[in-house]
Amino acid sequence: MTQIPPPAEELRLLDAELWQLDVRRAQLLARRAWLVAALHRARPAPVAPPRPEAAAPSVQNVLLLLGGVLLTIAAMVFTLVSWGHLGITGRALVLGAVTLAALAVPAVLLRRGLRSTAESVAGLGLALTVLDAYALHEAALAGTDGAGYAAVASAVLAATWLAYGLLPGTAGLRLPLPAALTAAQLPLLLWALAAGTDPYGITAALLVTAGVDTVVALRVTAGSVRVVAAVGAYGMGAWGVLAAGWLSWTATGPSAAARAAALLTLGSAIALGAAWHGGRTAVREPGETEGGARAPGEKRSLGLAVTSGLLMVAALGGLARSVLPEMWTVPAHLACGIALLAAVLAGRLPDAVRQGLAWASGAVQALALLWALPVVAVAVLGPVGWAERAWTGTPSDVRAAVTRDAPWPPDAAATPVVLAAVAAVLALAVRDTAWRPRARTGALGLIWATALILPAVLELPYSAGLSVQGVTTAGALATAAYARETTPDPEGRRLTALVLALVTSLSLALLSLASQTATLVVLSALTALFASASWRAHLAPVTAPAALAYAAALAAATGAAADWQPQHTALLVLAVPVAAALLTARLGDSRATVPVEVAGAAAGLLAVGLAAGDPPMLALVLALCGVITAGTAIRPDRRPVAYASAALFVLATWVRLAAWDIGSPEAYTLPVTVPALLVGALRRHRDPQTSSWTAYGPGLTATLVPSLVAAWGDPHWTRPLLLGAAALLVTLLGARHHLQAPLLLGGSVLTLVALHELAPYLVQVTGALPRWVPPALAGLLLLALGATYEQRIRDVRRVREVLGRMT
């Protein structure tokens, strides 16, 4: 009978069979994957058919182009080299027959649909007509003027090619009409050269040709003709405009300037006409493309309108320059630029033209401001030179005061007119809602610049110049303080006025350094002015620090005027940090608090610098700074300042000890260590979780480390003995109270002091031993350590655990 195993045994057998099947299946799958990969590697990759590198139409066009070029070269060689071997009749028959054939064949080719071949043969025919003209001149008209004949020939060729391109049989050709327009660029210019006209006539020929090209580009619909016309219009127009501008710049009298102005006006009219036509087209076809960008036609109209406006300004300005003094050249151009705004405000022009003229006017005004910038720079930065020559003598006038180290720009008398005119335009002419606030802010800056340079331009007396700058500073502060919230962009106007007030006050303070009395009066006035402006909360973050800075400068100037030594003046300067500390206590969490504290700290550094040459006075100044910072640290939000106060007191103590010629480091460190340990003990009493490193580490390190350094270089026994005793006491206290910092610091210092004391004896012992003994002892030590390595590890872990349980 068959023995049936128990269910558990049968289940085990089934699992074993299934596992063997899985293993076998995995082996077969791996083998199959390898075979598939091997077959793929052995199979050759399919070879793609070669891709043609040139399409059939491209090959056709290249062949036709090369054929036409070769035939043209052959005709040129025949005309230039083999011409003399034939008689007049033979020459006429050959050239006539070849030219007529080349011009007639394209009509036949067009009827059969061979357009590309017809274009190539037509190009050959047009080239042959040029050779016919050359041959005619050489054979029958050799005595005529070359330039005049070229002018007539180019005009005839242009008319012939135009007629050929308009014939019914050849109207489908694309080459004759652009070729005719290309030939039409030359007749007027060549005629002017042949007639021996002056540069004005040649420039007029260029501009008239550009005008014709412009009309063709705007009226003709054929794309190739429009491209050639546009290239001719821009090329000839740019050439003519540059030539006219040079003639206007170099004009020596009103007559020459008037002729140059007429040429520039002609160029301006051509550009304006093209812009007007493009602007009207843009109105019929909206100029906004996807994403809000301008359409290409509107961009061209805008650029042409800008060009037209600039050319008109150059024309009228050049005419005015010929009859006005040189200093009024820039104002004359500026007046012409501002006059463009009349056309802009008229409202009868297309939008693109109006915007282009507005941009042209803005460009002229910007260039005028750039011309005026050196004068403003001299008026603002010129007084810096008095910083090195303070109180050396009052200058005769304001111009002499600001040009102590800088030259006065030429023709600067018209600068205030330029600045005032542009300010008036910005204030009155800008009507756009988005740009009007910015324009008003710019006008404010230009009015400030006008008031700043006017005393130097008019050469007012020195005291009058100081008064004008003081009034300007007060006016800018008043504008910043009382700008109405209802006005557009009040914050921008306030910020601009505030910056202008600061710049003017700094220039005024530097300018006042020429005279002792002026310095004291100006610094007093600036201190009071900025202090009074600080009552406005939105100005206090800037004006309050400025008032403190000028107060510090006033204190230093007062000490210098009283012939005090710098270290005594430092005490007077310390009044500024005191005022800053008192002010910040009242300000609380205002935005002006931090700037005022920074200004007070800067004044304190100035006092320290003034007292640096006298150690006793420096110690006093540092101690007073510590008192000020300690008073600041009373505030709950300024408790960290107490660290700075402690540092200042410590520095004051050290400086005083140095002044007494005390060289022991303990005299410097113990006054720090004792308070630090007391503070640490108080902190651990209040917070028992405080680490001993935080509580006692700084205080112990402040004395133990400098004393250890001094002990290692001390040949006597007193300092090492006292330091060792102190380190032993610190170590015992750390062990008694389970404090990690005293234990480790005291033990380390005690060990190093012991090594220092044993070092001479160790050196003697080392010198007495043979040289092989130290290596042998080191080897024995390593063997012993290796033999008891595990035990040592347990000991080290036990010590680490003991230290870890300490605080």
Side-chain angles (χ1 to χ4, degrees):
M1 296 179 62
T2 303
Q3 184 180 359
I4 300 176
E9 181 66 19
E10 185 178 2
L11 181 61
R12 185 185 64 80
L13 294 174
L14 290 176
D15 289 339
E17 290 292 338
L18 289 174
W19 181 80
Q20 291 178 359
L21 289 175
D22 290 338
V23 172
R24 182 59 179 166
R25 186 172 186 276
Q27 293 176 350
L28 294 176
L29 289 175
R31 180 63 179 173
R32 182 182 183 279
W34 183 87
L35 292 173
V36 171
L39 289 175
H40 278 291
R41 288 194 298 269
R43 183 181 302 169
V47 179
R51 183 175 60 87
E53 297 182 357
S58 301
V59 175
Q60 168 190 313
N61 293 334
V62 170
L63 293 177
L64 292 175
L65 178 61
L66 291 176
V69 171
L70 292 176
L71 288 176
T72 303
I73 293 175
M76 293 174 62
V77 172
F78 171 77
T79 304
L80 299 175
V81 178
S82 302
W83 184 255
H85 299 292
L86 298 176
I88 296 178
T89 304
R91 300 171 188 173
L93 290 176
V94 171
L95 278 180
V98 173
T99 303
L100 291 177
L103 294 177
V105 168
V108 180
L109 294 176
L110 285 177
R111 286 196 297 269
R112 297 189 177 185
L114 302 176
R115 175 178 295 276
S116 299
T117 307
E119 294 286 353
S120 299
V121 177
L124 174 62
L126 298 180
L128 287 175
T129 57
V130 178
L131 295 177
D132 289 341
Y134 172 77
L136 180 62
H137 179 268
E138 293 297 323
L141 302 174
T144 59
D145 177 62
Y149 179 78
V152 175
S154 59
V156 173
L157 289 175
T160 303
W161 293 349
L162 176 62
Y164 180 70
L166 296 177
L167 290 176
T170 56
L173 295 173
R174 292 189 292 267
L175 186 60
L177 293 181
L181 186 58
T182 302
Q185 307 300 311
L186 302 176
L188 286 178
L189 178 61
L190 295 176
W191 172 80
L193 293 174
T197 58
D198 55 9
Y200 295 93
I202 297 174
T203 304
L206 292 172
L207 292 175
V208 170
T209 304
V212 174
D213 291 334
T214 302
V215 173
V216 173
L218 296 176
R219 296 296 182 183
V220 177
T221 58
S224 58
V225 178
R226 293 186 67 181
V227 170
V228 174
V231 172
Y234 282 114
M236 291 292 188
W239 189 2
V241 165
L242 291 176
W246 176 255
L247 293 174
S248 176
W249 183 260
T250 58
T252 57
S255 176
R259 287 187 290 171
L263 295 174
L264 289 172
T265 304
L266 176 60
S268 175
I270 295 172
L272 181 61
W276 194 309
H277 183 275
R280 293 174 60 187
T281 305
V283 171
R284 292 193 298 267
E285 301 176 1
E288 294 293 330
T289 61
E290 185 178 355
R294 295 180 182 273
E298 190 174 359
K299 291 181 180 179
R300 286 193 295 270
S301 297
L302 182 63
L304 289 171
V306 172
T307 304
S308 174
L310 293 177
L311 291 178
M312 184 57 65
V313 170
L316 298 178
L319 187 61
R321 185 180 65 251
S322 63
V323 296
L324 294 176
E326 185 178 358
M327 59 176 284
W328 296 106
T329 298
V330 173
H333 285 80
L334 177 61
C336 298
I338 295 175
L340 289 177
L341 295 177
V344 175
L345 299 176
R348 298 181 180 180
L349 301 176
D351 290 340
V353 177
R354 292 176 62 250
Q355 293 178 10
L357 294 178
W359 279 104
S361 177
V364 174
Q365 296 177 56
L367 291 174
L369 293 180
L370 188 63
W371 172 80
L373 184 60
V375 181
V376 180
V378 170
V380 174
L381 302 178
V384 175
W386 289 103
E388 297 180 354
R389 306 179 183 88
W391 302 351
T392 57
T394 304
S396 58
D397 54 59
V398 179
R399 183 181 297 183
V402 300
T403 56
R404 185 67 181 266
D405 295 323
W408 184 248
D411 303 328
T415 305
V417 177
V418 171
L419 296 175
V422 178
V425 171
L426 292 177
L428 302 176
V430 179
R431 299 178 179 178
D432 185 79
T433 306
W435 284 95
R436 188 172 181 80
R438 305 173 189 176
R440 292 291 181 87
T441 303
L444 177 63
L446 293 177
I447 293 173
W448 165 82
T450 304
L452 193 66
I453 68 172
L454 199 58
V457 172
L458 299 179
E459 297 184 85
L460 296 180
Y462 176 71
S463 57
L466 294 178
S467 301
V468 171
Q469 288 202 4
V471 172
T472 304
T473 305
L477 275 180
T479 303
Y482 298 104
R484 293 180 298 175
E485 293 289 345
T486 56
T487 59
D489 192 20
E491 293 298 329
R493 185 172 303 181
R494 288 172 180 171
L495 179 60
T496 302
L498 189 57
V499 171
L500 296 179
L502 290 174
V503 173
T504 311
S505 65
L506 184 59
S507 177
L508 174 60
L510 292 172
L511 190 62
S512 68
L513 293 177
S515 169
Q516 176 177 316
T517 303
T519 301
L520 298 176
V521 172
V522 166
L523 291 177
S524 301
L526 290 177
T527 302
L529 183 62
F530 280 93
S532 61
S534 300
W535 290 104
R536 306 289 291 184
H538 62 279
L539 299 182
V542 177
T543 56
L548 292 175
Y550 286 123
L554 177 62
T558 302
D563 292 330
W564 290 0
Q565 295 296 322
Q567 60 269 22
H568 298 127
T569 304
L571 297 176
L572 186 59
V573 174
L574 281 179
V576 176
V578 173
L582 296 176
L583 180 59
T584 53
R586 292 179 57 86
L587 291 175
D589 58 350
S590 172
R591 290 187 306 166
T593 301
V594 174
V596 168
E597 289 176 342
V598 172
L605 290 177
L606 175 61
V608 171
L610 291 173
D614 188 357
M617 187 61 69
L618 177 60
L620 176 60
V621 170
L622 290 172
L624 292 176
C625 291
V627 172
I628 296 171
T629 52
T632 303
I634 296 175
R635 294 162 48 195
D637 58 335
R638 290 295 184 268
R639 292 293 170 79
V641 181
Y643 295 104
S645 177
L648 289 171
F649 282 126
V650 170
L651 288 175
T653 304
W654 289 356
V655 171
R656 172 54 65 181
L657 292 174
W660 288 338
D661 294 329
I662 296 177
S664 298
E666 290 78 11
Y668 299 88
T669 57
L670 285 176
V672 178
T673 296
V674 174
L677 293 177
L678 291 176
V679 172
L682 180 61
R683 182 170 182 180
R684 275 187 61 85
H685 177 71
R686 292 181 177 179
D687 185 10
Q689 301 299 323
T690 303
S691 171
S692 62
W693 289 101
T694 303
Y696 305 118
L700 293 174
T701 306
T703 293
L704 292 178
V705 174
S707 297
L708 179 62
V709 174
W712 271 78
D714 193 346
H716 305 287
W717 59 271
T718 307
R719 187 189 303 275
L721 177 60
L722 294 176
L723 179 60
L728 177 60
L729 178 60
V730 170
T731 304
L732 294 176
L733 289 175
R736 171 68 179 80
H737 297 284
H738 299 281
L739 298 176
Q740 193 178 92
L743 179 63
L744 293 181
L745 289 174
S748 301
V749 173
L750 181 60
T751 303
L752 292 175
V753 170
L755 288 176
H756 172 263
E757 295 303 311
L758 293 176
Y761 304 101
L762 294 177
V763 172
Q764 293 178 5
V765 172
T766 304
L769 291 176
R771 294 188 177 181
W772 58 269
V773 173
L777 293 176
L780 290 175
L781 178 61
L782 292 176
L783 288 176
L785 289 176
T788 59
Y789 184 73
E790 186 176 0
Q791 181 63 35
R792 303 306 176 198
I793 291 177
R794 286 199 298 267
D795 295 341
V796 171
R797 288 176 179 173
R798 189 177 299 111
V799 173
R800 185 177 62 183
E801 291 174 359
V802 172
L803 292 176
R805 288 194 293 270
M806 296 182 179
T807 58

